[in-house]
Amino acid sequence: MFMRGSISVNKKTVLLSIALGFGLQLNAAADTPQNLNELESRTDQAFADLDKDGSPGCSVGIQKDGQTLLVKGYGNADIAAGTKIGPDTYFNIASMSKQFTVMSILDLQARGLLSVEDDIRTYLPEMPAAPTPVRIRHLIHHTSGLADYLMHFALTGMRDFKSLDRETALKRMLDEDVVLYPAGERWSYNNGGYLLLSEIVARVSGEPFETYAQKHVLSAVGMNHSYFRSPDEPDFGPVAKGYVPTEGGYLENSGTVSYSGDGGLITTMTEFLSYTKDMYQKQALWGPKNESFLTEAAVITPAGGVATTTAYGGGLGVETFLGVPVITHSGGIAGYNSDFLYAPEQGLAIAAFCNVSPANLTTRFVDIAKLFLGDVPDEAAPAPHGASVNKPSFSLLPDADIQALLGKYYSDALQTYYSFEKTPAGLAVEVTSDNIPVPHRDVFAQVPVLGGRVIPLGRTGASILLPEVIGDHVQAFTIRHPNLPDYEFQRVAP
């Protein structure tokens, strides 16, 4: 393993040969590529589109049986400055951070200070009581039934989340009195649950969450120069700037929140691989008790229904990839995309941190993984991001219905206006709120509609539900999101 301070730290590529010096031939099991040059070539091909001037990129790491085989950077951490990505470039790994939040909870449990079976109101007494007690494990497994603060603010037009502070986000979660479903009955990915977990860590430990996580989780596996975001975060070096693709190239978009719990871990590939090494060696965080909880998929039981096993464990996905069981999680926010998988039976870890979103990392991992896993049936290969065998069939909203929708609407519950205007480029949707200083505006050249009345709202995951009978003017509509209560909008202006 290459650690900070070794001769590899400032190199763009790190290749580790085992037992046979620098010949790059591996004396290893049959499921390890016999030539590290082949591994590097396959990885280069997977990330070739980003390995050029003027492009953001990724830091990629690959391990086998706890041994680092390759760490390599592609593209630029800062396009304007021409700073290249390397093994020690810092990235915001977004929701990949969730497993470390769970590790903090498990550490407190090991010390006898809490239990994952505890009612969260034991530590968050100001929260409204739910009909079915919400337990810590429900937050961990995304089965709490609580509404999600992040999606709430997204529907108010917030896109630059730098303006969202921890106190405002936490208050939104603590004050929410809407329960979407009884705890344990459904699975619904919820960032807010992990913000509450970080608050529980802080209240039980008496320390800020990021301090406790650093002392008892990150340092346990040698991630001594990684940190969770906070107003008092350390400065170990510049973090790669985030970018989103545009027609002419890339636009900088680093508008991430400055707090942690549901995300916010800043780390390098070099340091993260010290964590994946522990997944294989099981000497620190991945001891038997933790491993059992982290890798056991949650079970949900709908009212009057049959118990169903989900694909999510303790802050980690429990899935299959190319036909083999893997532990995995991805992350993405404001110009950043990260992903990793660990195949326990093969001892294989593949990780990538990118400063461009989307980066389609699952697709990029396929050819690399095949070097270790061999030929797999086509049906075992994961679908590219955005693909679905059951993708719904959309039609286009008729011009008459678009005309009927034009105007301004207000939701008292969301305290937000949605305005629809016809422009030469298409239907413009402007979202304004008292809480958002700059209105958010989207323009749809075409307006897709499902079933004649459901309009998807881009990447928010929400939809507009039009009335059954539209008539000459839409008087009201509903915005629905799986992690939120329904929000009713009423027309307030033509």
Side-chain angles (χ1 to χ4, degrees), residues 199-365:
E199 181 65 11
I200 291 172
V201 171
R203 294 188 185 188
V204 173
S205 70
E207 296 181 286
F209 163 73
E210 58 273 9
T211 301
Y212 191 87
Q214 174 60 50
K215 287 167 58 176
H216 299 283
V217 176
L218 300 179
S219 64
V221 288
M223 296 176 69
N224 297 315
H225 293 85
S226 300
Y227 59 93
F228 274 100
R229 294 220 59 196
S230 75
D232 301 318
E233 64 193 28
D235 183 8
F236 290 135
V239 178
K241 293 183 176 180
Y243 297 90
V244 293
T246 65
E247 279 191 33
Y250 296 94
L251 175 68
E252 184 181 338
N253 182 12
S254 302
T256 61
V257 297
S258 60
Y259 56 86
S260 301
D262 50 352
L265 182 62
I266 308 298
T267 190
T268 68
M269 186 56 67
T270 299
E271 292 220 337
F272 185 76
L273 289 177
S274 68
Y275 169 73
T276 54
K277 181 176 183 177
D278 187 56
M279 296 180 78
Y280 175 77
Q281 294 183 330
K282 309 183 191 309
Q283 294 179 345
L285 299 177
W286 278 84
K289 286 186 178 179
N290 279 4
E291 181 182 24
S292 175
F293 182 83
L294 293 164
T295 60
E296 184 177 357
V299 175
I300 55 174
T301 307
V306 178
T308 304
T309 302
T310 70
Y312 203 88
L316 289 161
V318 184
E319 305 175 16
T320 59
F321 180 83
L322 298 179
V324 304
V326 295
I327 302 160
T328 182
H329 212 295
S330 62
I333 187 171
Y336 297 97
N337 197 187
S338 56
D339 205 350
F340 97 107
L341 63 84
Y342 177 68
E345 295 175 5
Q346 290 76 22
L348 172 66
I350 304 175
F353 307 153
C354 305
N355 63 334
V356 60
S357 181
N360 299 320
L361 290 173
T362 302
T363 305
R364 297 178 193 271
F365 285 175

Side-chain angles (χ1 to χ4, degrees), residues 13-296:
T13 308
V14 176
L15 286 169
L16 176 63
S17 58
I18 303 172
L20 297 180
F22 296 97
L24 299 181
Q25 294 295 316
L26 291 178
N27 181 14
D31 57 355
T32 298
Q34 295 301 302
N35 191 320
L36 283 175
N37 287 331
E38 180 184 6
L39 174 60
E40 183 175 22
S41 175
R42 187 73 65 91
T43 308
D44 287 349
Q45 292 175 27
F47 292 88
D49 60 310
L50 298 173
D51 194 25
K52 57 190 177 184
D53 292 338
S55 173
C58 304
S59 183
V60 183
I62 302 168
Q63 279 184 342
K64 180 72 173 66
D65 296 340
Q67 295 283 352
T68 298
L69 304 182
L70 181 146
V71 189
K72 188 167 184 178
Y74 302 89
N76 296 271
D78 183 333
I79 292 176
T83 307
K84 300 299 182 184
I85 291 172
D88 292 298
T89 299
Y90 280 97
F91 288 86
N92 185 332
I93 65 170
S95 285
M96 266 182 67
S97 313
K98 285 182 168 66
Q99 58 200 292
F100 297 96
T101 302
V102 176
M103 293 286 189
S104 299
I105 290 287
L106 295 181
D107 186 79
L108 288 169
Q109 179 172 257
R111 297 171 189 272
L113 298 176
L114 57 69
S115 166
V116 296
E117 295 299 327
D118 290 342
D119 186 330
I120 64 173
R121 295 185 72 246
T122 303
Y123 311 103
L124 308 171
E126 65 269 48
M127 288 195 72
T132 301
V134 178
R135 306 191 184 280
I136 290 177
R137 63 177 168 82
H138 291 135
L139 299 181
I140 291 172
H141 292 146
H142 301 292
T143 59
S144 68
L146 300 177
D148 188 1
Y149 82 98
L150 202 59
M151 291 300 100
H152 169 90
F153 286 113
L155 290 186
T156 67
M158 184 178 288
R159 294 298 182 272
D160 182 357
F161 288 94
K162 286 186 293 188
S163 62
L164 183 60
D165 58 65
R166 179 181 177 85
E167 290 70 25
T168 302
L170 188 60
K171 186 177 188 304
R172 180 72 210 172
M173 290 301 302
L174 293 174
D175 291 349
E176 182 61 74
D177 59 358
V178 173
V179 177
L180 304 177
Y181 53 86
E185 287 197 1
R186 281 171 42 194
W187 186 92
S188 184
Y189 192 85
N190 191 320
N191 285 290
Y194 274 73
L195 183 62
L196 293 178
L197 287 172
S198 71
E199 181 65 11
I200 291 172
V201 171
R203 294 188 185 188
V204 173
S205 70
E207 296 181 286
F209 163 73
E210 58 273 9
T211 301
Y212 191 87
Q214 174 60 50
K215 287 167 58 176
H216 299 283
V217 176
L218 300 179
S219 64
V221 288
M223 296 176 69
N224 297 315
H225 293 85
S226 300
Y227 59 93
F228 274 100
R229 294 220 59 196
S230 75
D232 301 318
E233 64 193 28
D235 183 8
F236 290 135
V239 178
K241 293 183 176 180
Y243 297 90
V244 293
T246 65
E247 279 191 33
Y250 296 94
L251 175 68
E252 184 181 338
N253 182 12
S254 302
T256 61
V257 297
S258 60
Y259 56 86
S260 301
D262 50 352
L265 182 62
I266 308 298
T267 190
T268 68
M269 186 56 67
T270 299
E271 292 220 337
F272 185 76
L273 289 177
S274 68
Y275 169 73
T276 54
K277 181 176 183 177
D278 187 56
M279 296 180 78
Y280 175 77
Q281 294 183 330
K282 309 183 191 309
Q283 294 179 345
L285 299 177
W286 278 84
K289 286 186 178 179
N290 279 4
E291 181 182 24
S292 175
F293 182 83
L294 293 164
T295 60
E296 184 177 357

